[in-house]
Amino acid sequence: MAGPPPDIPGQKMTGDDLWALRHQVAGLLNRSNTNFPGAQPVSFAARHMLELQKQDYFVCEKSDGIRCLMYLTTDPGNMEEATFLIDRKNEYYHVQGLHFPKSAEREKAAAFHTDTIFDGELVNDIINDPISGPKPQLMYLVFDCLVLNGDRLMHQTLDKRIAKFRDIVFNPYEMLYNETFKEEKQYLPFLVDWKRMERGYGIEHMFKQTLPQLPHGNDGLIFTCRTSPYQFGTDQHILKWKSAEENSIDFRMTLEFPLVEPDSDDEDQSPYTDYSAIPHVNLAIYGGDRGGDIPYGNMFVDVGKWEELKALNEPLNDRIVECSLIEGNIWRFMRFRDDKREANHVSTVESVMESIQDKVSEEDLIRASKAIKDEWKKREKETIEKQKVAMARPAVNGQIDQVRNGSVGMKRKLEGNDETARGTDGV
């Protein structure tokens, strides 16, 4: 059974410390804006089937967890290693007890990475212990690397960004805690791994092998263009696919209780709010520059669901809720999204609604995988041919230079090698 989304561990930063951290991260990313820099996907629509054929895309599972960037730095107070998680609200959490060595060798293990930013997700894995049975294990799964020891990687291809994280950061970390100091692994606040990706045509393997074996929750697939640079904010080259029943929108929920007219014999004849009734649940999306929240619809709440929500004994009004659209154009409550400050932006809602209407299914994706593979292999072959030509050109040019410099024998020049001449003409 998959685990529920986790809470973010660590101490939440405030005041001047928070201000300083946000500016440090913005500086590392060469940005003037200090808001959350994470790339955001668009919802998968039918038109994206062709996009997967036109360009190289990697695909991985979409974890049901908490999206966080990880920032590795040095504490200016004591010059020791410091690790922060950054959530989508742009809050920073100082997580103690983590160590990312530059080397796993015992005598070199104290040196650590700094000025480094990863992108990933916190998930609750359920691990089957042969003695104690199933138990939760908090994991942080890395799926991108933006900056590594001060070196900006955003404009490198995705496979290179992931390879550098794996080789330079993850491999020493894994060796340190699995071999050199394996007794320390149990004290880590969470474990770190990297999210395995398939080529874009490995869709059937994802559905039939990867997803059924996941130890944590999952609600779809993520397709990421291999050659696109890392994009702050909405990225049209990161595609989020969800099944029809999982496609959802995050709304701001407000409660509107009915007004009741007083009885004729009541002393106060003013209408009053009936807080014991089931409220009218209004849903709004975020308009951004269009001006705050925009009314969008209503959420269906019956007696059972309202009693369930009241039993939480938590504030309900003005919270962000994730809802799915069910038959009859009815929005149904899925869960609270307290990790977000705002509802989905109007552009995101438009994207999700296109996805809901197109209803691209698992079967549709699997059927398209052959065409995706054929086009990938075609581009791959063209790239290899270009590399062969590029590698051969210096040798041919070298022969031409020898002829021009008189270094080729006079007899060969006078004979006039037709094959060489044709080759030279082709350069």
Side-chain angles (χ1 to χ4, degrees), residues 402-403 406-416:
Q402 287 179 355
V403 172
S407 57
V408 176
M410 182 62 68
K411 182 174 183 295
R412 182 175 174 184
K413 291 182 191 177
L414 294 174
E415 289 176 347

Side-chain angles (χ1 to χ4, degrees), residues 117-295:
I117 302 173
F118 314 138
D119 200 349
E121 195 157 21
L122 271 175
V123 299
N124 261 332
D125 278 2
I126 299 299
I127 307 299
N128 289 315
D129 189 292
I131 299 176
S132 59
K135 63 178 183 179
Q137 172 61 65
L138 189 59
M139 299 286 297
Y140 181 77
L141 303 178
V142 175
F143 51 74
D144 213 327
C145 185
L146 286 68
V147 185
L148 184 55
N149 295 316
D151 182 19
R152 297 188 187 102
L153 308 181
M154 290 92 76
H155 285 84
Q156 297 186 15
T157 59
L158 176 63
D159 48 346
K160 289 183 179 179
R161 301 197 301 259
I162 292 294
K164 287 189 175 181
F165 165 78
R166 184 188 65 229
D167 296 342
I168 299 174
V169 179
F170 180 75
N171 287 348
Y173 161 87
E174 185 180 42
M175 189 177 298
L176 182 79
Y177 289 111
N178 286 344
E179 298 178 20
T180 310
F181 293 109
K182 58 184 178 182
E183 68 279 1
E184 298 295 324
K185 189 174 183 178
Q186 60 183 314
Y187 301 113
L188 294 173
F190 53 79
L191 301 182
V192 176
D193 203 345
W194 55 284
K195 192 173 283 191
R196 274 59 175 178
M197 299 186 183
E198 300 280 345
R199 291 187 172 193
Y201 51 81
I203 300 170
E204 187 168 10
H205 183 272
M206 290 295 302
F207 281 120
K208 296 185 177 180
Q209 299 294 327
T210 303
L211 300 189
Q213 298 178 24
L214 287 175
H216 52 262
N218 165 270
D219 58 359
L221 301 176
I222 294 288
F223 295 88
T224 306
C225 185
R226 184 184 69 86
T227 56
S228 294
Y230 190 94
Q231 177 71 45
F232 307 126
T234 301
D235 188 343
Q236 298 295 327
H237 294 98
I238 304 178
L239 312 175
K240 174 182 64 178
W241 177 88
K242 289 185 175 184
S243 62
E245 59 272 16
E246 289 288 343
N247 242 324
S248 60
I249 292 176
D250 298 331
F251 297 101
R252 184 176 301 281
M253 175 180 75
T254 54
L255 307 181
E256 183 181 344
F257 290 89
L259 284 175
V260 178
E261 294 294 333
D263 294 334
S264 58
D265 56 349
D266 287 347
E267 181 176 341
D268 186 354
Q269 289 296 301
S270 302
Y272 63 92
T273 302
D274 183 5
Y275 290 106
S276 63
I278 299 176
H280 192 70
V281 181
N282 300 309
L283 300 175
I285 59 176
Y286 182 55
D289 295 338
R290 303 186 191 183
D293 290 337
I294 301 173

Side-chain angles (χ1 to χ4, degrees), residues 38-49 51-52 57 62 67 88 221-225 231-242 247-248 344-356:
Q40 304 291 347
V42 297
S43 293
F44 197 100
R47 57 188 170 87
H48 291 125
M49 300 287 268
E51 175 73 11
L52 295 183
Y57 273 80
K62 182 183 179 300
R67 165 80 177 284
R88 282 194 283 198
L221 301 176
I222 294 288
F223 295 88
T224 306
C225 185
Q231 177 71 45
F232 307 126
T234 301
D235 188 343
Q236 298 295 327
H237 294 98
I238 304 178
L239 312 175
K240 174 182 64 178
W241 177 88
K242 289 185 175 184
N247 242 324
S248 60
N344 281 149
H345 189 272
V346 59
S347 60
T348 300
V349 173
E350 291 169 353
S351 174
V352 174
M353 290 305 297
E354 181 184 8
S355 178
I356 290 173

Side-chain angles (χ1 to χ4, degrees), residues 316-350:
L316 299 175
N317 198 46
D318 211 36
R319 284 177 74 172
I320 305 300
V321 291
E322 182 177 355
C323 298
S324 62
L325 191 63
I326 61 177
E327 190 174 350
N329 289 326
I330 296 172
W331 291 106
R332 175 181 61 87
F333 175 86
M334 295 178 69
R335 59 173 174 164
F336 291 110
R337 293 303 306 266
D338 294 329
D339 59 316
K340 304 183 71 174
R341 291 189 187 278
E342 303 290 351
N344 281 149
H345 189 272
V346 59
S347 60
T348 300
V349 173
E350 291 169 353

Side-chain angles (χ1 to χ4, degrees), residues 44-71:
F44 197 100
R47 57 188 170 87
H48 291 125
M49 300 287 268
L50 183 59
E51 175 73 11
L52 295 183
Q53 297 179 41
K54 290 167 56 180
Q55 300 192 68
D56 294 351
Y57 273 80
F58 287 118
V59 59
C60 64
E61 57 95 5
K62 182 183 179 300
S63 305
D64 188 11
I66 300 294
R67 165 80 177 284
C68 296
L69 299 181
M70 183 182 290
Y71 173 39

